[in-house]
């Protein structure tokens, strides 16, 4: 009793003192003001709605607490270290220390006093947030996450950081040192440790996956509690140690002993929880490698075809029970004594009839009574029960990939692949919730890869009141079972059970349904008048999309189903389809979380602002506005292959920086494309299993043409370039096998696919080829196509043999390389019409043939890809493009002439996989003159080999031997420690970031740079002259030379002009001394700029460029010498 | 109440031997501790209030061992340190309330009464809502006294409680202590103001360089000085001679020159007379004449 009285007394006055300290007051006022404005902006109609918070109301307390917690963790360190320092300094401490109070009471009182004040601050802030939340016009209020996040984020952080700082202060006894150590620790967890070692060091829960779904809550409350428990108990343990280390004579042996035992107990608990936490993960990794090893063992086995599935499934809370009957056929040419099926290892087989079987983790080894002869069928029935073992999913992802997976498209770091809970169930094919033929993945090649088309029938029994959603025609009977019968053979089937509401509309024989969780209809407020006019909108969007993709939607329904936010899917190298897109189904993250298309509130708010600014006269009817929202939603969600990076980075937990400036494309997981290819066609190729992926890449690319130049200059290399750089000295086969970075892999596949199809299109003619390919695929829907079939058809139609291209394309590391010279462009009068002639010489300098595509952009407006985000609307621009593909042999020069009916604005040559970096070459055309004598027609003639070089010039480029850079090594150890890890397979060329230029010389590529094939240069930030680029030009013959430097013109910022004071300072060492010519970079185009005439004797001339300039950045590219006559 | 100090020694970590083999018994009542700067008074007191461990020796408080029964002893203590200037950001009232709570006053209502009464007694009631840090030096001292006396401590240890107090306050303080000392309480106060002791203490000790050199009543100390205190009427030149020879207690310029009070066994021909010694004289006499002779105890 007395102890409690003492603790309260100490705590009371400690909290009073803390509360009265200016430091704390300023901090709390600042945080409350910040919280106020942050919520005022994000949650009222006056500010800008935050889409994350609208989609997922738990983000409101989360985001707020996240910020407060970070701030208070730092403040607490300071205050806690102050605590012991003050004790030493104050006279009044003595009159407290001589009182009859135990050391434990004293320290506990102090700690509680401190924590109490912070807790109050948290509660006041959260209360304020809650008021905003309840009043928000955009979203719902949910109390539970407020409580959870407070208890799981704030409290353990506070207890830990207090205990830890008290403890350190008691040991180190110097406030400044303690403070530095602790801040270092915080900085390390924030910037370096982050998610490393499975978030084990993340005491602030800064990166720990903690998304809370309104449907299923946390993905694993237990795991989170273990993690937070680590810090909670360590904190308590440290407080205990502080008691023992307190410099005051203790007054009770008993209390001391109790404190010792509790400290030990708490610390041990913390450490134990840490072990439990890590062991769970390492166990999982071990488990995964065992499963992978088993898969590898059976990957070579012949695979049977499953022709039909009859699945009966019952949802039993945390389990499912199912009976699946499979009709299996031997499609191989030999008899099968044994074959394997894959079933999730969390599902226990209870009975299997029709054959003998053995189970090894995820594999079912089936031995038919007698060998299954070619063409024979077998019916087996498997009864199983259990839950989904999620560690089985995505065996193709290495532990490192899993750990580094942070820029998830849905911005959530939780990784749920299935849900089996009493409130909700979601099963996707990746789970293997029904048995499939063969293995799910093997790290040894791609030969196990199959996709099968089977007739499905699914019968589901779910708890009353739950809605069951799957593929096919749905019928419900009176005793609560739901039957699904897909009309076509499908590659896969998925299942969702939950408290859903469903709305649907049928347009042109396709039924579109939207299934969302009860109460999640906040979007209704944006669609008040649209109602029936939704039909033409859908019809229009679908039509224009299908014109672009040249294919037709093959199913009778398209359902959009909301699923819990933690669902995540990784991309497999062999397919662009993620689990979110299933046959006739798209699973959408809860509330449209992180989907730019669902940001109705933002769009509405923005258009309100625009209307006010422009005082628009042309009024848009509400119906048109709403149709705009819908169109934008459809375009952004289903019809874009990539996530708009500007939209994806608005989450506060995302954001990668560091030395790797190359952008990573984030694939849009909701891209509808698999429903136009993957779920209806599959090309099987035993020799080149990647073929299907290559065709897929070609089709999807052509449906989403149009890169984003804005992103390129701002953040780095485009996907094609990354693919091209990766291919410079490695074969496709090699990269497929060894490349771990899935982004680079995707880019390589895309580049290689473009190259292969350019070869074929070049040989056949692009339109003809495309028409053929699509027709071929349309005739062979819902079945496996053997690549031989495709080859046969091509031979028949075009006398084109795929096998002529494939081997070299697949295994050779050689690439073509092109030089473009002698471009002529003029107009002529022909048949009473003005036409334009463009002509140039193209040389392939390499020993392997290649193909390029020339695109002329005619007339129109607005050159490169749109820079700003388009709100509403969609689809491609209206520019007319003319596209020609040309095949060019090894070591061959061709003069290519094109006759165009309209003025070209720009010519772009795509060289696909080649030695040209960047892989596109473009040229703009200004006003062209009529040449009365000119002539021309479309021509493609081989001319004598020329590489276009002129003998009178000596050029040293940054790629040449004579070039080098000199710069101090500036990376300190600390800096290295805090920049996030550099991937091993980093690309040689980095992207250019002109908003924040690199301080060091950085090698980068750009069309504006000089280079025969590799148009690269070094760039760095303007500085003091400590960095130099040096060209040593070999001189064969002494004499006077005119010296030039190549000054690239990179468009940057508003107006895209170099600043007038962009100045390059060179040092030229010549026979009469050293000169310092200064070059102004004010030319309109990238060009050679003269720097004077100098006398150089034989040997070599030395030209230096330093970073001593006021301009933002400097490029070191090439110099040229021309001998004076 | 009875405090027994046996063979007490304190050697600071830097080797400073601040208390050397002190033995004494202190009974109920007011006990004065006198000694020059650095004598070890504060050190002794800090040991008594359990802020510090002695290097050797034993202290028994009513038979309780200071090293073992800290809990009980602490609950009997009231302490005012010598330095009492820097407070945390608390108001006068709050600080006293804090002390009262820690002193074991658990009942909120009665505690409030006691605290308010105490504030009135030390004349701080008006200042109760001011931050303690902003009080004047003397007011801080009074607050210190108040917190030392709150909760009826049995053993009150005050280190130079009266420094910085105005005369009126000093008297008030003396009366306060005297009132408390009526009960079965030990009050140990150290001071340089001899008057404080002579007017209040029944028992006292004198410390010098860590050694307890006198322990007994103030009267006896004065007795020792009898015949050794002189009042000399001296000329200007004599005055300077006297200054060289004898410890001077006071000197007042007069018409003939100077009237000087000195402590000495004889005055060797100067014109002077013996006067009645007071404690101040006794202290100087003791330091000058007795210290280097022998240990005196009554
Ligand atoms: N923390 C310490 N470490 C080392 N020596 C100390 C310490 N505190 C005091 N001393 C020394 O111990 C001796 C006794 O000091 P103490 O403060 O007890 O004297 P005091 O009698 O209270 O003097 P004053 O009348 O000036 O207050 C002095 O020589 C002093 O320098
Ligand atoms: Mg002292």
């Amino acid at each position: 009793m007395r102890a409690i009285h003492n603790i309260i007394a100490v705590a009371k006055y400690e909290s009073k003192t803390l509360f009265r300290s200016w430091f704390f007051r300023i901090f709390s006022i600042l945080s409350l003001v910040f919280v106020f404005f942050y919520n005022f902006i994000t949650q009222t109609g006056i500010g800008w709605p935050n889409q994350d918070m609208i989609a997922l109301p738990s983000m409101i307390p989360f985001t707020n607490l996240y910020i407060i917690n970070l701030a208070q963790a730092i403040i607490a360190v300071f205050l806690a270290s102050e605590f012991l320092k003050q004790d030493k300094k104050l006279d009044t401490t003595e009159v407290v220390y001589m009182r009859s109070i135990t050391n434990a009471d004293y320290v506990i009182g102090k700690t509680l006093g401190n924590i109490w004040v912070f807790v109050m601050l948290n509660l006041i802030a959260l209360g304020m947030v809650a008021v905003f939340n309840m009043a928000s016009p955009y979203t719902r209020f949910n109390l539970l996450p407020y409580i959870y996040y407070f208890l799981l984020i704030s409290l353990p952080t506070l207890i830990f950081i207090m205990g830890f700082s008290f403890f350190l202060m008691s040991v180190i006894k110097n406030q400044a040192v303690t403070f530095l150590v602790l801040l270092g620790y915080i900085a390390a967890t924030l910037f370096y440790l982050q998610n490393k070692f499975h978030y084990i060091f993340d005491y602030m829960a800064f990166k720990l996956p903690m998304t809370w779904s309104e449907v299923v809550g946390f993905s694993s409350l237990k795991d989170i509690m273990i993690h937070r428990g680590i810090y909670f108990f360590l904190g308590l343990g440290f407080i205990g140690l502080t008691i023992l280390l307190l410099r005051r004579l203790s007054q009770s042996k008993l209390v001391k002993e109790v404190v010792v035992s509790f400290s030990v107990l708490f610390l041990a608990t913390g450490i134990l929880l840490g072990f439990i936490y890590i062991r769970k993960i390492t166990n999982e990794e071990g488990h995964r490698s065992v499963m992978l090893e088993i898969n590898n063992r059976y990957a070579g086995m012949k695979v049977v075809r499953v022709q039909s599935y009859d699945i009966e499934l019952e949802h039993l809370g945390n389990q499912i029970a199912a009976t699946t009957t499979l009709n299996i056929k031997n499609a191989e040419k030999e008899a099968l004594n044994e074959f394997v099926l894959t079933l999730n290892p969390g599902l226990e087989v209870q009975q299997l009839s029709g054959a003998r079987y053995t189970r090894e983790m995820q594999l079912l080894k089936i031995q038919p009574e007698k060998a299954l002869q070619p063409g024979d069928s077998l019916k087996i029935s498997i009864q199983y029960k259990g839950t989904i073992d999620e560690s089985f999913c995505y065996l193709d992802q290495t532990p490192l990939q899993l750990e580094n997976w942070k820029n998830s498209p849905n911005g959530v770091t939780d990784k749920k692949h299935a849900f089996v809970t009493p409130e909700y169930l979601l099963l996707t094919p990746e789970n293997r919730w029904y048995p499939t033929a063969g293995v799910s993945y093997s790290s040894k090649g791609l030969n196990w890869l199959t996709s099968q088309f089977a007739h499905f029938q699914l019968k589901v029994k779910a708890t009353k009141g739950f809605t069951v959603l799957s593929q096919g025609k749905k019928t419900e009977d009176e005793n609560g079972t739901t039957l699904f019968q897909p009309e076509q053979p499908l590659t896969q089937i998925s299942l969702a059970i939950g408290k859903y509401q469903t709305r649907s509309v049928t347009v042109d024989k396709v039924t579109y349904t939207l299934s969302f969780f009860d109460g999640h209809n906040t979007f209704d407020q944006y669609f008040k008048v649209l109602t029936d006019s939704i039909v033409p909108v859908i019809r229009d969007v679908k039509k224009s999309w299908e014109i672009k993709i040249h294919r037709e939607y093959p199913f009778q329904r398209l359902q959009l189903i909301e699923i819990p936010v933690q669902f995540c899917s990784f991309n497999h190298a062999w397919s662009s389809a993620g689990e979110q897109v299933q046959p006739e189904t798209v699973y959408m993250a809860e509330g449209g979380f992180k989907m730019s298309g669902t940001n109705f509130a933002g769009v509405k708010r923005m258009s309100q602002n625009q209307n006010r600014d422009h005082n628009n006269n042309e009024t848009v009817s509400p119906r048109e506005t709403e149709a705009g929202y819908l169109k934008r939603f459809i375009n952004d969600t289903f019809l874009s292959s990539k996530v708009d990076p500007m939209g994806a980075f608005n989450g506060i937990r995302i954001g990668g920086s560091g030395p790797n400036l190359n952008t990573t494309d984030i694939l849009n997981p909701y891209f509808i494309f698999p429903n136009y290819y993957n779920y209806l066609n599959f090309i099987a190729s035993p020799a080149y299993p990647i073929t299907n992926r290559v065709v897929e890449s070609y089709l999807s690319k052509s449906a989403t043409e149009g890169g984003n130049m804005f992103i390129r200059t701002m953040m780095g290399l485009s996907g094609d370039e990354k693919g091209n750089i990766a291919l410079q000295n490695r074969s496709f086969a090699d990269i497929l096998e060894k490349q771990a970075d899935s982004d680079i892999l995707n880019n390589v596949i895309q580049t290689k696919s473009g190259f292969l199809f350019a070869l074929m299109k070049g040989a056949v003619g692009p339109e003809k080829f495309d028409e053929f390919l699509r027709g071929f695929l349309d005739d062979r829907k819902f079945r496996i196509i053997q690549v031989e079939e495709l080859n046969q058809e091509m031979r028949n139609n075009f006398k084109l043999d795929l096998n002529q291209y494939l081997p070299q394309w697949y295994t050779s590391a050689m690439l073509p390389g092109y030089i473009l010279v002698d471009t002529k462009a003029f107009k002529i009068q022909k048949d009473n019409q003005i036409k334009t002639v463009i002509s140039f010489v193209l040389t392939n300098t390499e020993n392997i043939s290649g193909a390029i595509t020339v695109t002329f952009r005619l007339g129109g407006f607005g050159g490169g890809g749109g820079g700003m985000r388009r709100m509403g609307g969609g689809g491609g621009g209206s520019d007319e493009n003319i596209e020609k593909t040309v095949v060019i042999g090894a070591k061959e020069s061709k003069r290519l002439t094109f006759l165009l009916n309209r003025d070209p604005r720009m010519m772009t040559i795509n060289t696909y996989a080649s030695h040209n970096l960047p892989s596109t070459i473009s040229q703009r055309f200004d006003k062209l003159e009529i040449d009365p004598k000119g002539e021309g027609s479309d021509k493609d003639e081989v001319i004598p080999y020329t590489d276009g070089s002129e003998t009178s010039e000596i050029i040293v480029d940054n790629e040449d031997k004579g070039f080098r850079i000199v710069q101090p090594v500036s990376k300190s150890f600390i800096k290295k420690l805090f920049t996030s890890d550099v991937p091993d397979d980093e690309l040689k060329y980095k992207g250019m970031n002109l908003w924040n230029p690199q301080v060091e010389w950085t090698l980068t590529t750009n069309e504006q740079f000089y280079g025969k094939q590799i148009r690269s240069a070094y760039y760095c930030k303007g500085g003091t002259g400590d960095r130099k680029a040096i060209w040593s030009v070999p001189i064969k013959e002494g004499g006077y030379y005119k010296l030039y430097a190549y000054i690239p013109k990179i468009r940057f910022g508003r107006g895209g002009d170099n600043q007038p004071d962009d100045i390059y300072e060179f040092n030229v060492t010549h026979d009469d001394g050293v000169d310092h010519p200064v070059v102004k970079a004010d030319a309109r185009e990238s060009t050679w700029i003269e720097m004077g005439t100098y006398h150089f004797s034989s040997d070599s001339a030395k030209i230096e460029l330093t970073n001593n300039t006021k301009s933002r950045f400097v490029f070191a590219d090439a110099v040229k010498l021309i001998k004076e006559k | 109440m009875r405090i027994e100090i046996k063979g007490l020694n304190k050697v600071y970590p830097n080797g400073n031997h601040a208390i050397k083999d002190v033995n004494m018994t202190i009974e109920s009542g007011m006990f004065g501790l006198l000694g020059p700067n650095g004598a070890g008074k504060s050190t002794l007191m800090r040991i008594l209030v359990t802020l510090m461990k002695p290097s050797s020796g034993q202290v028994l408080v009513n038979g309780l061992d200071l090293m073992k029964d800290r809990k009980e002893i602490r609950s009997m203590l009231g302490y005012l340190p010598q330095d009492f200037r820097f407070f945390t950001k608390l108001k006068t009232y709050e600080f006293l309330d804090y002390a009262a709570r820690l002193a074991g006053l658990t009942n909120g209502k009665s505690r409030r009464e006691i605290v308010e009464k105490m504030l009135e007694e030390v004349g701080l009631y008006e200042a109760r809502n001011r931050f303690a840090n902003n009080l004047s030096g003397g007011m801080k001292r009074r607050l210190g006294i108040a917190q030392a006396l709150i909760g009826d401590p049995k053993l009150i240890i005050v280190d130079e409680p009266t420094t910085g107090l105005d005369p009126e306050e000093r008297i008030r303080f003396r009366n306060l202590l005297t009132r408390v000392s009526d009960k079965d309480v030990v009050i140990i106060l150290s001071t340089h103001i001899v008057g404080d002791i002579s007017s209040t203490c029944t028992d006292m000790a004198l410390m010098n360089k860590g050694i307890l050199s006198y322990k007994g009543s103030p009267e006896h100390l004065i007795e020792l000085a009898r015949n050794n205190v002189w009042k000399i009427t001296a000329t200007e030149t004599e005055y300077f001679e006297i200054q060289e020879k004898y410890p001077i207690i006071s000197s007042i310029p007069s018409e003939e020159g100077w009237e000087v009070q000195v402590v000495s066994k004889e005055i060797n021909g100067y014109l002077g007379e013996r006067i009645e010694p007071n404690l101040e004289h006794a202290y100087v006499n003791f330091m000058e004449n007795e210290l280097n002779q022998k240990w005196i105890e009554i």
Side-chain angles (χ1 to χ4, degrees), chain B residues 35-43 45-46 81-83 159-160 190-192:
Chain B
N37 291 136
K41 303 182 295 291
S42 297
T43 305
M45 293 181 136
R46 287 166 54 78
Q82 183 171 356
D83 289 312
D159 200 350
E160 298 186 19
S190 79
T191 182
H192 295 285

Side-chain angles (χ1 to χ4, degrees), chain A residues 13 20 91 94 249-250, chain B residues 46 70 74 85 94 97:
Chain A
Y13 286 106
R20 283 178 185 157
D91 306 321
E94 293 201 332
L249 300 181
S250 63
Chain B
R46 287 166 54 78
R70 285 200 194 104
R74 277 174 176 167
R85 273 170 299 171
E94 291 167 346
D97 179 64

Side-chain angles (χ1 to χ4, degrees), chain A residues 374-387:
Chain A
D376 273 6
S377 293
L378 173 72
K379 191 169 180 166
I380 58 173
S381 181
I382 308 170
Q383 195 186 329
Y384 50 91
K385 188 176 173 183
T387 186

